[in-house]
Amino acid sequence: MSVTTTVPGEPVLPDVKMHAVRPTEPVFATITKNERCTVSKKTASYIRQVEFDVSGTPLVGVCNPGQAIGVLAEGNDATGKPHKVRLYSLSSPKDGIDGQGKVYSVTVKRSIDEHWDTKKLFMGVCSNYLCDRAVGDKIRVSGPNGKRFLLPVDPNKNDYMFFATGTGIAPFRGMLLDLFKAKCTSKITLVMGAPPASDLLYHDFFLDMQTKFPNFTYLTAISREKQADGHDQLYVQDRLRTNRDQLLAQLSNDRNCIYICGLAGMELGIFQQLGFILQGSTLEQYLQCDPQALRDIRHWKREMLHKEIRPTKRVLMEVYA
Ligand code: A2P
């Protein structure tokens, strides 16, 4: 059964299974691959594609890109309690990497920081646990979680504009693999943001897909370096301005959906750019705004989201702090 909508052009999302495995009763998965997925080895970020086999568990065949999987690191926290479950976005396609729904993947950035006051090194528990696993190791997993950040039931009925920052690319990698496999003829644009270009994830894969699928456009936005095309530092939303002419037709089409995944804050920047570009034309298909708010787009604030600025069902978001 599918969710029905009344507005033409809005995506119709599938019903998907959730919580096939609860974190209180996790199952074991076996690591099948663990490799870096940054474009260059010369980067200070450690981001890995971690693949795992869930054969023989209720997770077989039920994990979709856009959903998350829970991972329980071994050991206890500072209070002596077992580590809590951490959620990671799946970066694998619907039928898994093996095509049989048994092998899935996540995209994990090692969390490494310095405590502000003590100046001691802080290592994120679960991200480093996962990145340290070797092929053959068993990990405890649960899930899947989430049902709102999915590709539509019939992918050919919509066009797609994906915006990702950092590991926010994970669900889009899986979704794109599904769209390419289905030979989807829709217009598909991916805008990927990274601090230096060396942190771009799955970059060679997206470049390759762009040569194979004429309906796929891949743009990057590098925030701490000049762009390869000569533009200064950019955030993903700035591509709506720099590449306006290229993107306007897709944005103006009522088939288009906007998917946003990554750092909280990026959604507001994207909405402001949409406001600047589409005000007076097709903005309403993405954002329903109070007239007062429309008078001063430059000063929009996050607190206004879902109040004065209300994203429609054509905008799908997964953002995190
Ligand atoms: P910066 O950190 O230079 O401000 P990562 O997760 O690998 O750190 O990448 C996140 C990317 O998103 C970086 O390029 C980061 O830029 C950028 N970014 C940070 N804040 C925003 C924002 N509000 N809108 C869009 N992009 C952002």
Side-chain angles (χ1 to χ4, degrees), residues 109 165-167 193-195 199 223-224 235-237 263-266:
K109 181 175 188 173
T165 55
T167 50
D199 280 14
S223 60
R224 302 189 194 175
Y235 276 170
V236 280
Q237 58 267 32
L263 286 180
M266 66 186 290

Side-chain angles (χ1 to χ4, degrees), residues 98-114:
D98 59 335
Q100 295 178 46
K102 291 180 182 161
V103 182
Y104 295 107
S105 68
V106 287
T107 310
V108 191
K109 181 175 188 173
R110 283 188 189 272
S111 163
I112 303 171
D113 214 337
E114 204 181 65

Side-chain angles (χ1 to χ4, degrees), residues 274-284 294 297:
L274 290 175
F276 294 138
I277 294 169
L278 301 177
Q279 189 177 10
S281 60
T282 53
L283 181 62
E284 280 209 344
L294 278 177
I297 296 172

Side-chain angles (χ1 to χ4, degrees), residues 120-167:
K120 288 217 166 113
L121 183 67
F122 166 82
M123 302 273 286
V125 172
C126 202
S127 68
N128 285 291
Y129 166 78
L130 260 181
C131 286
D132 286 343
R133 292 308 94 196
V135 170
D137 282 354
K138 305 266 185 212
I139 55 169
R140 291 177 304 156
V141 291
S142 63
N145 296 60
K147 61 174 185 176
R148 292 179 203 281
F149 197 69
L150 299 164
L151 281 178
V153 180
D154 179 353
N156 278 311
K157 285 202 170 146
N158 291 94
D159 293 327
Y160 306 93
M161 205 170 272
F162 298 117
F163 290 91
T165 55
T167 50

Side-chain angles (χ1 to χ4, degrees), residues 25-235:
E25 290 173 82
V27 293
F28 283 103
T30 310
I31 302 287
T32 53
K33 196 191 259 187
N34 182 345
E35 63 180 31
R36 286 180 83 159
C37 52
T38 35
V39 59
S40 154
K41 290 199 177 78
K42 292 185 195 156
T43 162
S45 301
Y46 306 106
I47 308 171
R48 306 189 71 88
Q49 158 90 357
V50 180
E51 301 182 359
F52 50 92
D53 188 334
V54 297
S55 289
T57 78
L59 293 174
V60 171
V62 298
C63 300
N64 295 275
Q67 292 189 291
I69 198 94
V71 178
L72 289 129
E74 283 164 33
N76 296 331
D77 63 20
T79 67
K81 293 202 179 111
H83 289 299
K84 290 203 177 80
V85 66
R86 304 291 207 285
L87 297 181
Y88 292 91
S89 240
L90 290 151
S91 52
S92 39
K94 188 175 177 349
D95 294 333
I97 286 156
D98 59 335
Q100 295 178 46
K102 291 180 182 161
V103 182
Y104 295 107
S105 68
V106 287
T107 310
V108 191
K109 181 175 188 173
R110 283 188 189 272
S111 163
I112 303 171
D113 214 337
E114 204 181 65
H115 280 287
W116 188 251
D117 31 3
T118 62
K119 300 183 178 56
K120 288 217 166 113
L121 183 67
F122 166 82
M123 302 273 286
V125 172
C126 202
S127 68
N128 285 291
Y129 166 78
L130 260 181
C131 286
D132 286 343
R133 292 308 94 196
V135 170
D137 282 354
K138 305 266 185 212
I139 55 169
R140 291 177 304 156
V141 291
S142 63
N145 296 60
K147 61 174 185 176
R148 292 179 203 281
F149 197 69
L150 299 164
L151 281 178
V153 180
D154 179 353
N156 278 311
K157 285 202 170 146
N158 291 94
D159 293 327
Y160 306 93
M161 205 170 272
F162 298 117
F163 290 91
T165 55
T167 50
I169 194 68
F172 301 147
R173 176 183 182 267
M175 289 179 188
L176 284 163
L177 282 164
D178 277 341
L179 292 171
F180 296 140
K181 187 176 170 194
K183 298 204 167 46
C184 176
T185 51
S186 303
K187 189 96 190 85
I188 307 167
T189 300
L190 168 66
V191 188
M192 159 95 214
S198 56
D199 280 14
L200 286 169
L201 302 174
Y202 309 112
H203 182 60
D204 293 337
F205 166 68
F206 296 132
L207 287 176
D208 186 41
M209 289 301 111
Q210 192 170 228
T211 63
K212 294 192 173 125
F213 293 89
N215 55 328
F216 175 53
T217 303
Y218 173 50
L219 300 171
T220 59
I222 307 302
S223 60
R224 302 189 194 175
E225 292 170 1
K226 253 183 177 299
Q227 315 302 303
D229 63 11
H231 285 289
D232 281 336
Q233 289 97 323
L234 297 179
Y235 276 170

